[in-house]
Amino acid sequence: MEYLTRIYMYGGVSVKDVESPKFIKAYAEHLKRGDKFKEPSWVDIVKTGFTKELSPYDRDWYYIRAASILRRLYIRPFTGVGGFKKIYSKKNKIRVKPSHYNKGSGKIPRSILHQFEKIGIVKKTKKGTRKVTSLGRKEMDAIALKIHKDTQPKKKEEIDEIDELNEIIEETKEETKDEKEEEKEKEEN
C-alpha cells in the first residue's frame, strides 16, 4: 500500500489544488532553468506521434511535455510508458478514409521518465510502472504553493494600500505636469 503513505504538503497546497495549465507552465520553466534536466539532441526533428506530420512548433515543447507527464504521474501514480502512450494518443483522420485511433510516441515519455529517475524525482516500482518520490512531491508542492499564493485574491487592507499608492502616483504625475508647464512658460518668457 505505497500509495496510502501520508504526504506532508507545503502550506496545505498540493498540485491538485492548482490549475493544470498554470502548474505545467511554471514547472516547465523550473525544468528549463535547472541544470539537471536536459533535452535530447533529437527534440527538434521528432514527431510526437504517428498521427502528426511535423514536429511541434514550440521550442519548449519537451519541457512542457515533461511537466505534464510528471503532473499526471503525481495525480495517478503507477503509470507506465504504455499508459502515457494512451494519454497522448489521437485520432488519425487523413483524407477520405475513416478515422482510426493511434497511440502516441513511446520514446518521448520513456526518455523523460529516465531523466526524472536519474534526478531522483521518479522511481520505478517492482511491476515496472513509475511513481513520484517524496523529493519530487516536495518540489512539485512547493511550486504549486507559489502559484497558489500568486493567484490568491488580495485582502481588503492590501487593496486599500494599493489604492492609496495609486492616488499618490497620480498626484505626483499631476505635480510633474504642472512643473513642466511652468518651466515651459518660463522658457517662453
Side-chain angles (χ1 to χ4, degrees):
M1 294 291 173
E2 294 176 58
Y3 59 92
L4 294 177
T5 58
R6 187 174 181 145
I7 302 164
Y8 294 99
M9 298 175 290
Y10 285 98
V13 177
S14 72
V15 175
K16 295 177 183 180
D17 299 328
V18 180
E19 294 177 19
S20 61
K22 290 181 181 179
F23 177 79
I24 290 171
K25 185 177 179 183
Y27 200 79
E29 286 295 319
H30 171 73
L31 290 174
K32 190 175 179 181
R33 278 185 272 129
D35 298 336
K36 296 179 181 177
F37 192 85
K38 302 285 183 194
E39 62 181 21
S41 59
W42 45 261
V43 167
D44 55 344
I45 57 172
V46 72
K47 298 185 334 177
T48 56
F50 176 76
T51 58
K52 299 291 184 175
E53 293 182 13
L54 299 170
S55 60
Y57 292 121
D58 188 8
R59 291 182 179 214
D60 298 334
W61 74 268
Y62 190 75
Y63 296 108
I64 293 169
R65 178 64 60 97
S68 173
I69 284 174
L70 195 61
R71 182 186 174 277
R72 284 186 179 269
L73 203 58
Y74 181 98
I75 291 171
R76 189 171 183 175
F78 308 111
T79 306
V81 175
F84 288 115
K85 286 174 71 171
K86 288 179 190 173
I87 289 168
Y88 295 108
S89 62
K90 192 174 179 182
K91 273 189 178 181
N92 187 10
K93 187 171 182 179
I94 300 175
R95 299 186 200 105
V96 193
K97 296 178 183 178
S99 60
H100 294 283
Y101 168 82
N102 292 103
K103 290 183 179 178
S105 172
K107 172 71 174 176
I108 297 166
R110 189 177 301 112
S111 67
I112 289 170
L113 290 170
H114 282 306
Q115 284 194 48
F116 282 141
E117 283 177 20
K118 286 179 185 175
I119 297 170
I121 295 175
V122 172
K123 72 175 182 179
K124 203 169 191 177
T125 61
K126 293 176 184 176
K127 292 183 179 179
T129 59
R130 289 170 172 93
K131 72 174 207 166
V132 181
T133 62
S134 61
L135 174 72
R137 286 187 177 275
K138 286 179 185 176
E139 185 177 298
M140 294 171 73
D141 288 339
I143 292 173
L145 177 65
K146 182 180 176 188
I147 295 168
H148 186 70
K149 283 184 177 178
D150 291 343
T151 58
Q152 282 296 313
K154 306 241 187 263
K155 295 179 182 175
K156 189 173 190 281
E157 297 122 10
E158 292 176 0
I159 293 172
D160 292 339
E161 289 176 13
I162 292 171
D163 290 340
E164 289 174 9
L165 291 173
N166 286 336
E167 289 175 6
I168 293 170
I169 291 169
E170 288 177 18
E171 290 174 4
T172 54
K173 284 181 182 179
E174 291 175 6
E175 290 175 5
T176 54
K177 284 181 185 179
D178 293 337
E179 291 175 4
K180 286 181 182 179
E181 289 175 4
E182 290 175 6
E183 289 177 9
K184 284 183 183 179
E185 289 177 6
K186 287 181 183 178
E187 289 177 6
E188 291 176 1
N189 292 336

